[in-house]
Amino acid sequence: MQHTYPLDAWCIRETSFDAASNFLDETLFALGNGYIGLRGTPEEGYAGPAGTSLDGTYLNGFYESEPIQYPENAYGLARNNQFMLNVPNAKGIVLWVGEERFDLLQGHLESYERRLDFRSGLLQREIVWQAPSGRRLQVRSRRLVSFASKHLFAIEFTVTPLGFDGALRLECAVDGVVRNLEAGDDPRVGSATTGPALALTGTELAPHFAALQQRTHNSGFTLVSAAAQVIDVQHIFAQRVEGSRLVQSYSVDARDGQAVRLVKYGCYYSSRDHAADELMARSRAELEAARGLGFDQLAAQQEAYLADFWAQADVEVAGDDALQQGIRFNQFHLLQSVGRDGKTNISAKGVTGEGYEGHYFWDTEIYIFPFFLYNKPEIARKLLEYRYAGLPAARERARQMSHAKGALYPWRTIAGEECSAYFPAGTAQYHINADVAYSIKQYMDATGDDAYLLQYGAEILIETARIWLGIGSYNRAGAFVINEVTGPDEYTALVNNNYYTNAMAKLHMQFAAAAAERIERDYPQEWPRIAAAVALADGELEELRRAADAMLLPYDAALGIHPQDDSFLDKKVWDFAGTPADKYPLLLNYHPMVIYRHQVCKQADVVLALLLLSEQFTLDDKKRDFDYYEAVTTHDSSLSSCIFSIIASEVGYAGKAYDYFMETARLDLDNTHGNTHYGVHTAAMAGTWLGVAYGFGGMRVVNGEVRFAPTLPKQWQHYQFRIHLHGSLLQVRVSPGGTQYTLLRGEALAFRHRGVPVTITPAAPVQELA
């Protein structure tokens, strides 16, 4: 269902509670810090109708694994699935008024407001509730998931009797009786697992401290989920154990108008980060430190972290309040979702839901990475370090796929093992290797961080580039061809010479060879180590260059377009006019083979190449390709609209550019794909930033040089965004009078504005251009 909140530029806010929208609200009001994710379920729990809630708590990178069951087996298929777990719920605070339980669906809500603030990072509620007996209460809560401490969250829960004295009881739980959502027939929803994935191995209860210790069955990880409380009034304390549920209660003789304030601190520690025998002690120390700081100090830390983030990343749009809210909502959720420890990545649903099982995809490199590269480059580096950590598994996967050399990254994974059970739309997407290499090239162009290249990047580039020599070959005409692969468009599978794949592979091989040659020349002391690490043979770099130079890039002269692959234009066009609206997305209503034998695209494929390899195409090329592929694309993927918006803007289709952009900008807030209740769409969120910077801002990076060609949508009064380049921070502001470039920090920057060279310096930090 579509949900519209009041249009506030720095928050989302609801002023009534509705069970019908609750499932969606839980996603949109979720909090996270890149590791912990808490869905926006109330502390007191939810007892509404079935199918209107998923009380989820997630840890990025913490997973269980299960063997993939194939009724018909084949060599080289992915063997194990990894899936993110719904871990124990440590945020529970049940409120009793005498013998009546505080429940939003019982009694009467006199007033209600919930607010997620993008600047403070707090989820806040303020409620006046009348119990069925007539007693009235004010309930206020503030919740945060700490950006300063990866393992910590905190909740302040304040209750004030209105017009009565009486007994209140606050029951704080660490509840291990949880399970994952089952996917059913829709793989985008959840996991295929059934039953509990965590086995209880121990508990610890002490006054105001409770902890569960559990272990996964197959992946072998230990997890401690712990909580501690502070209450500021006289009380009677009690505790009990209910299997995998630990409860500590605080009974208070409350007085009319006097607030009862309880603060609950929670943390999660797993053996993915620390030795199993350290986890309980680390949890105790974390919670003791949090109690020492107090909630207000933690909230101040949170606000300071976000102030720094927004100073670098804020995108301002004047003239469209709905869009401004959508952009900041998206940026906030991206920050909440991304791993920043070099061991974790960002999943398709972030840490807000179980869709796609918490897997990481190419979405990171092509859609999400640029946002962090230009706004928080230190996080971008950590995402690249994650790929280096996965290099051993990628080498192993390459051997499974009969490649004697090289590394093949998994299509979907958590810890590095291929988890895609459907190889035509999984393992066959070899372009993942080129996507990773492309992100390394972007990073080097924007930062010049040779230390990264020497320590991590060079090995990745060479090992992944080798795969193209293994999968490709020279045809009878001497062209280098790549057969039996799947490009970005998942409605077309197992084809020869997918344009995007071939073009990205060409760039990949050229960049890998050039990087290796530069290291050998500029860092001769480092080169022997790197060459030995990848066992580089004589002549390999030359072979990469030879294959790249001979790469077949399909072109149809009659239509003046780039065919998506060798056979795409020979297929009949899908009957769009005869397909009812309820048959979309096609993947849920038609057998894959029915889809594969038609000209129909799920998402941008050739059109994506027009963006990533922009300098290789003329404007006329881009217009003809856009026109052709727009007519056969369903945009069933949330990755699609933002790319079409960017290219539409470039070729002069201002109306289409804006329409596609708006589909992306509020995709989750307006639930336009109808599945946001299962988690946000992180790639589309990042696509909003791409649409501003690459689309309307006309930003491209060509051979390391940044170029801008800004346009101003007629609906806007002005817009501005900021980007990091080589340690400096540049602000780009576009208004009816022209474009203003401002150096906010750092040294001199050189770039191009509509083809004209521009330099700004600390001495002359502002340039105004038409």
Side-chain angles (χ1 to χ4, degrees), residues 394-395 397-399 401-409 430 433 461-472 480 482 508-509 544:
R395 288 180 173 123
R397 182 59 177 160
R399 304 302 167 270
M401 295 300 295
S402 302
H403 299 295
K405 283 186 170 184
L408 176 61
Y409 278 110
Y430 269 68
N433 270 18
L461 290 171
I462 295 169
E463 286 283 57
T464 51
R466 283 169 160 163
I467 294 299
W468 303 119
L469 301 179
I471 192 176
F480 192 79
I482 299 175
H508 182 180
M509 290 188 283
L544 288 175

Side-chain angles (χ1 to χ4, degrees), residues 719-739:
Y719 67 95
Q720 67 182 36
F721 61 95
R722 298 163 185 172
I723 62 168
H724 281 272
L725 287 171
H726 298 285
S728 297
L729 184 62
L730 173 68
Q731 179 172 285
V732 182
R733 181 182 178 91
V734 183
S735 64
T739 303

Side-chain angles (χ1 to χ4, degrees), residues 44 93-97 100-103 129 137-139 157 159 168-171:
E44 66 274 8
I93 305 172
V94 175
L95 169 63
W96 293 88
V97 186
E100 294 178 293
R101 178 170 174 166
F102 171 54
D103 183 341
W129 178 74
L137 293 170
Q138 181 190 66
V139 178
F157 197 85
V159 184
L168 299 180
R169 188 169 77 255
L170 295 161
E171 293 191 340

Side-chain angles (χ1 to χ4, degrees), residues 682-703:
T682 54
M685 288 178 152
T688 307
W689 185 87
L690 295 177
V692 174
Y694 289 9
F696 305 122
M699 177 177 159
R700 300 290 186 274
V701 180
V702 179
N703 298 321

Side-chain angles (χ1 to χ4, degrees), residues 91-112:
K91 67 179 181 291
I93 305 172
V94 175
L95 169 63
W96 293 88
V97 186
E99 296 305 311
E100 294 178 293
R101 178 170 174 166
F102 171 54
D103 183 341
L104 295 177
L105 296 174
Q106 302 296 322
H108 173 63
L109 276 177
E110 293 185 14
S111 66
Y112 173 93

